[in-house]
Amino acid sequence: MEILPNTYNIKNSLEIAQEITKLHTNKCMKLITLDIKDLYTNLPTTGIIKATKFWLHNTPLNIHENKQIITILETIMEQNYFQYNDNFYKPHKGVAMGSPLSGTLAEFYLQRIQNRYIKQWLDSNEIYYYKRYVDDIIILINTQKIQEEQLLTNINSIDKHLSFNVTKEDNNNKINFLDFTLTRNKYNIQVNIHRKKTSTDTVIHYLSNHRIERKMAAFRYYINRLLTLPQTQEGRNAEWATTLNLAKNNGFPIEKITRLKTQLATRPRGEHTPQDNPKKWTTFTYYGPAVRKITNLFKNSTIGIAFRSNDTIFKEITKKKYEQINPSGIYEIKCNTCNKVYIGQFGRGINTRYKEQIRYIKTNNP
């Protein structure tokens, strides 16, 4: 049962790229992006409950079922606690960022606001286009009827609990949104892939002890995005050069990446051949290519094979911390007479090495 209309929502960046490149623009239009500041922690409790009641009213559920849902929701919102430094706190607003329910509650609230205000702005032609991805919003406005500053003022006045960061086009009519750059031309909008300044050229190295599917997953994503995004040929060539450079820096054979691109480009899109799901799945710890000699025995069976790794980030951050009483490493000794400093490195315990240094000083045998 669908409760929310999702009229102004997008599922991913590809969806908005396909939509926005079909728009016809003119010199009176401008692009702006909005980012909702601290969305989850600023959502009002009463506002969420009112919005939920509104959307439940449009469902086939009866009055008693709606009442039960609201009672459960009120109980959940009332028990919104968190712990910090061994102390418990209860915020007067907001939802927990780690809760699986928070995303749905945020959508109830935001889509209620959109239903009341965005529709009338679209109908009045003050804005031509409006889409939201979680807390990121892209808007194409009509500057003949409203300016960016006035629109931001109107949006910020909708709800005192929410505030927005606005980003405008640069001098070249470009603006970044999600993982691409939008360029507003005279009659249309062009899309190219955007990488943030903080992005690195690091992926799982080709020589690392991971199965090949996992090592190739990043390039499969990059190439799929390259092939499906409706971007300019210049942008496509630049992205392909970036992908090849990424592969080179991480030890991947260029011909392997080129072959993957050919496979993905010639693969029929939009077609899916249904396959029988295996009756049972089992997992193997991946220690190296030799594991496949065992897993290949199950290729023609009804058992599906999944690989796992023992060295995970979760295990690293949950390891019990312990104090080294006598650690090794790099040390520094300063002479109190001449103030000169000696820096050394050792593989044994610091106590052992320190005693050796004192003995050398006493015997004048450095």
Side-chain angles (χ1 to χ4, degrees):
M1 180 180 61
E2 290 288 342
I3 298 178
L4 296 174
N6 298 316
T7 306
Y8 306 108
N9 290 30
I10 53 172
K11 297 178 181 178
N12 49 52
S13 57
L14 177 60
E15 180 180 329
I16 191 172
Q18 292 173 338
E19 288 184 5
I20 210 163
T21 51
K22 296 177 182 179
L23 298 177
H24 298 284
T25 61
N26 56 53
K27 62 181 181 180
C28 298
M29 297 182 181
K30 282 189 177 182
L31 287 166
I32 65 171
T33 63
L34 300 175
D35 173 51
I36 306 176
K37 297 179 184 178
D38 303 323
L39 172 60
Y40 283 2
T41 55
N42 283 317
L43 291 173
T45 302
T46 55
I48 290 175
I49 295 174
K50 288 181 180 179
T52 304
K53 289 180 179 179
F54 172 81
W55 294 116
L56 287 176
H57 182 72
N58 298 324
T59 66
L61 298 177
N62 58 48
I63 297 176
H64 299 291
E65 290 171 329
N66 287 346
K67 187 176 180 180
Q68 288 179 353
I69 293 174
I70 295 300
T71 301
I72 294 173
L73 178 58
E74 289 174 342
T75 303
I76 293 173
M77 298 297 292
E78 181 67 22
Q79 297 178 358
N80 186 19
Y81 302 97
F82 68 91
Q83 183 180 4
Y84 178 71
N85 282 346
D86 297 327
N87 293 319
F88 288 90
Y89 300 87
K90 181 180 179 181
H92 63 277
K93 63 177 180 178
V95 293
M97 295 183 65
S99 171
L101 188 61
S102 297
T104 302
L105 298 180
E107 284 299 319
F108 282 166
Y109 187 69
L110 293 177
Q111 291 200 36
R112 175 58 178 146
I113 292 176
Q114 291 172 168
N115 182 265
R116 296 177 60 184
Y117 295 96
I118 302 303
K119 186 178 184 303
Q120 69 182 36
W121 290 341
L122 287 168
D123 292 340
S124 65
N125 288 328
E126 291 181 343
I127 62 177
Y128 286 107
Y129 183 81
Y130 173 100
K131 288 292 179 176
R132 178 177 59 84
Y133 180 77
V134 190
D135 59 351
D136 293 313
I137 301 170
I138 180 75
I139 303 177
L140 181 63
I141 69 172
N142 179 7
T143 57
Q144 287 183 322
K145 292 197 172 186
I146 193 169
Q147 296 298 318
E148 296 103 316
E149 292 78 8
Q150 183 60 47
L151 179 63
L152 181 61
T153 301
N154 294 346
I155 291 178
N156 277 324
S157 64
I158 291 176
D159 192 308
K160 64 180 181 180
H161 301 95
L162 301 180
S163 58
F164 300 80
N165 292 318
V166 62
T167 302
K168 303 178 184 179
E169 297 177 1
D170 62 17
N171 294 332
N172 296 318
N173 299 334
K174 293 184 177 182
I175 193 169
N176 297 323
F177 184 70
L178 300 182
D179 60 343
F180 49 75
T181 298
L182 303 175
T183 303
R184 181 179 55 84
N185 298 320
K186 189 175 181 180
Y187 299 111
N188 59 16
I189 297 174
Q190 291 181 341
V191 174
N192 285 307
I193 293 172
H194 165 68
R195 281 184 169 84
K196 295 182 178 180
K197 294 180 180 180
T198 55
S199 65
T200 64
D201 61 347
T202 303
V203 295
I204 299 177
H205 199 276
Y206 185 70
L207 299 180
S208 63
N209 189 34
H210 290 76
R211 56 193 179 95
I212 188 63
E213 294 89 350
R214 180 170 293 178
K215 290 187 283 190
M216 295 295 290
F219 293 97
R220 185 176 294 274
Y221 165 75
Y222 291 140
I223 295 174
N224 262 321
R225 183 177 63 171
L226 168 70
L227 296 174
T228 56
L229 196 69
Q231 57 183 326
T232 63
Q233 187 59 44
E234 180 183 358
R236 188 172 282 110
N237 293 338
E239 177 61 18
W240 177 236
T242 301
T243 304
L244 292 180
N245 186 62
L246 178 66
K248 180 181 177 181
N249 292 341
N250 290 274
F252 284 79
I254 298 301
E255 59 273 12
K256 194 174 189 68
I257 304 302
T258 304
R259 186 163 58 250
L260 175 62
K261 181 185 178 185
T262 302
Q263 293 172 352
L264 294 177
T266 55
R267 183 186 64 183
R269 299 188 179 276
E271 298 181 7
H272 177 70
T273 303
Q275 298 179 352
D276 294 333
N277 292 324
K279 295 181 179 179
K280 186 177 181 180
W281 283 88
T282 187
T283 58
F284 281 80
T285 301
Y286 189 84
Y287 291 106
V291 177
R292 290 192 180 275
K293 293 182 179 180
I294 300 175
T295 58
N296 285 341
L297 299 175
F298 299 91
K299 271 189 174 180
N300 299 322
S301 70
T302 57
I303 299 177
I305 303 298
F307 292 101
R308 67 181 177 185
S309 173
N310 278 335
D311 298 326
T312 62
I313 295 177
F314 177 78
K315 286 189 176 181
E316 289 297 321
I317 64 178
T318 55
K319 282 183 178 179
K320 291 185 178 180
K321 296 182 179 180
Y322 62 94
E323 295 182 0
Q324 284 187 299
I325 300 175
N326 193 22
S328 59
I330 298 175
Y331 66 97
E332 175 185 289
I333 296 179
K334 183 178 179 180
C335 178
N336 293 330
T337 304
C338 63
N339 289 327
K340 289 186 177 180
V341 173
Y342 175 79
I343 298 176
Q345 182 177 4
F346 58 97
R348 292 168 293 169
I350 182 63
N351 292 338
T352 304
R353 186 57 177 159
Y354 178 74
K355 291 177 181 179
E356 290 178 349
Q357 292 287 357
I358 296 300
R359 185 170 67 251
Y360 294 155
I361 294 172
K362 289 180 177 180
T363 60
N364 197 21
N365 182 25

